[in-house]
Amino acid sequence: MKERKIEITVYEAERPEELAPADTTLLREAANATKNAYTPYSKFNVGAALLLSNGEIICGSNQENAAFPSGLCAERVVLFYAGSRYPDAAIRAIAISSATGGKENPHPVYPCGACRQVLLECEHRAGHPIKVIMGSASKVHVVHSAKDLLPLCFELKEK
Ligand code: THU
């Protein structure tokens, strides 16, 4: 059997000045969106902000439900909203932030597996990489493509 190594590149920033100004803006929007999360069960608020190819920024937050699987992560809330509201505007970047008890969590929150799969399909649909910016004002991790978050992904392919 042959060994194959898969490498990904993650950029890490400890200060907002290390980020591109547009990425800082998107991350602030994501942090702001945590305020609209509905999280009576987990009390863990997540905000996601998308930059679209038309320059518009749209935001979403996680929405929970007493019938647990019926809730949805912030990322999928905003990605599906973008798809239904702006089907022709490609997504350029997504920023993700989290908060607990009204305070921003310092550590980056990474998208769950299901959100990575949805993000990757949005990237295929956009036809170019989507930058993923994950973090807070004090620590940010960036990958330049959704592909980096999901190597060996599922694809509907015949043969
Ligand atoms: N959550 C997100 O919104 N995004 C993720 O990528 C992971 C988890 C939400 C789901 C649930 O409302 C809460 O965080 C705790 O799991």
Side-chain angles (χ1 to χ4, degrees), residues 38-44 64-68:
Y38 174 65
T39 59
Y41 308 104
S42 74
K43 315 248 190 284
F44 189 80
E64 298 181 349
N65 190 271
F68 290 137

Side-chain angles (χ1 to χ4, degrees), residues 17-95:
E17 311 86 85
E18 294 178 59
L19 285 182
D23 294 354
T24 309
T25 303
L26 205 59
L27 197 54
R28 286 302 87 212
E29 292 287 338
N32 201 38
T34 61
K35 294 178 194 151
N36 295 338
Y38 174 65
T39 59
Y41 308 104
S42 74
K43 315 248 190 284
F44 189 80
N45 290 21
V46 182
L50 299 184
L51 175 65
L52 304 179
S53 56
N54 61 10
E56 206 165 317
I57 291 177
I58 57 171
C59 296
S61 54
N62 53 332
Q63 303 293 317
E64 298 181 349
N65 190 271
F68 290 137
S70 306
L72 202 61
C73 293
E75 297 91 324
R76 275 176 288 160
V77 165
V78 75
L79 289 167
F80 289 146
Y81 175 67
S84 57
R85 178 75 178 81
Y86 303 98
D88 301 322
I91 298 158
R92 301 278 167 180
I94 179 170

